[in-house]
Amino acid sequence: MTIAAIIIGAFLILLFLYQFIFRVSGTWKNNGDASSKEIIELAQFGPFVSGESTAQYDGKHRYSGYIIGNTLVLHRKDYGLQYLSQQGFPTEVAKQVEGMVRAQLRLSVKNNRTRLDGQFIPLKIEFMQNPARITKQYFVQFQERKFTKIAE
């Protein structure tokens, strides 16, 4: 029992220290595209990372993932029926898509933890309208992404 308590205690201490060694909490701006106004707020507890950003038409992107070493992996879920409708989903399909993982980001922490560089991998969703249902989902060609930290 004592060994188990020591192992659990050591794990909790490492989890606490991890967020200071590999810190990605803060506000990040997408610099990969001059027209992009994407700003992501990230929070971190140990290796676990979550965040949020706003999208057009009152939409939201929510992120969850982890960081191991200098590699950050995030899954993005999209919310907002009007936002999803503007992306071409009929209302009934948008209701199914809302809250689903729609993209993955694989980023490397660079430049003394002030830059994230890597890949944005969107998920393609194919659907039928009558009856409204998703027929196929698959990841497509990645796009380069670069984020700069603008606030702690």
Side-chain angles (χ1 to χ4, degrees):
M1 183 100 139
T2 308
I3 293 174
I6 291 171
I7 291 171
I8 290 170
F11 174 76
L12 292 174
I13 289 170
L14 287 173
L15 191 64
F16 176 76
L17 292 175
Y18 201 94
Q19 62 191 337
F20 298 107
I21 298 169
F22 301 105
R23 187 170 182 79
V24 293
S25 294
T27 306
W28 298 85
K29 182 178 185 323
N30 181 352
N31 290 333
D33 179 1
S35 66
S36 177
K37 294 179 169 70
E38 182 180 22
I39 294 178
I40 301 174
E41 297 281 339
L42 293 179
Q44 180 177 356
F45 179 73
F48 306 107
V49 180
S50 63
E52 191 170 284
S53 67
T54 58
Q56 298 176 332
Y57 309 104
D58 295 325
K60 288 199 179 307
H61 302 298
R62 292 203 177 119
Y63 300 86
S64 62
Y66 57 89
I67 183 166
I68 297 179
N70 70 338
T71 301
L72 173 63
V73 177
L74 294 171
H75 298 274
R76 188 186 88 188
K77 294 180 179 182
D78 294 354
Y79 295 87
L81 293 178
Q82 185 179 2
Y83 167 68
L84 293 167
S85 292
Q86 289 294 325
Q87 291 189 335
F89 293 106
T91 303
E92 289 304 312
V93 175
K95 289 176 183 176
Q96 296 173 31
V97 170
E98 186 174 44
M100 287 178 51
V101 171
R102 297 267 328 278
Q104 185 180 81
L105 287 100
R106 294 182 188 161
L107 304 165
S108 295
V109 181
K110 306 275 186 179
N111 202 24
N112 199 24
R113 295 180 293 210
T114 60
R115 207 174 79 221
L116 299 171
D117 292 354
Q119 301 173 342
F120 170 80
I121 309 161
L123 182 72
K124 173 77 173 168
I125 297 176
E126 295 180 2
F127 57 90
M128 290 178 47
Q129 292 194 30
N130 286 321
R133 67 182 178 97
I134 296 169
T135 57
K136 194 174 186 182
Q137 303 175 53
Y138 52 94
F139 287 102
V140 295
Q141 180 66 35
F142 70 85
Q143 304 160 10
E144 294 294 325
R145 285 288 197 270
K146 295 178 187 301
F147 293 90
T148 302
K149 194 169 202 175
I150 58 174
E152 284 291 328

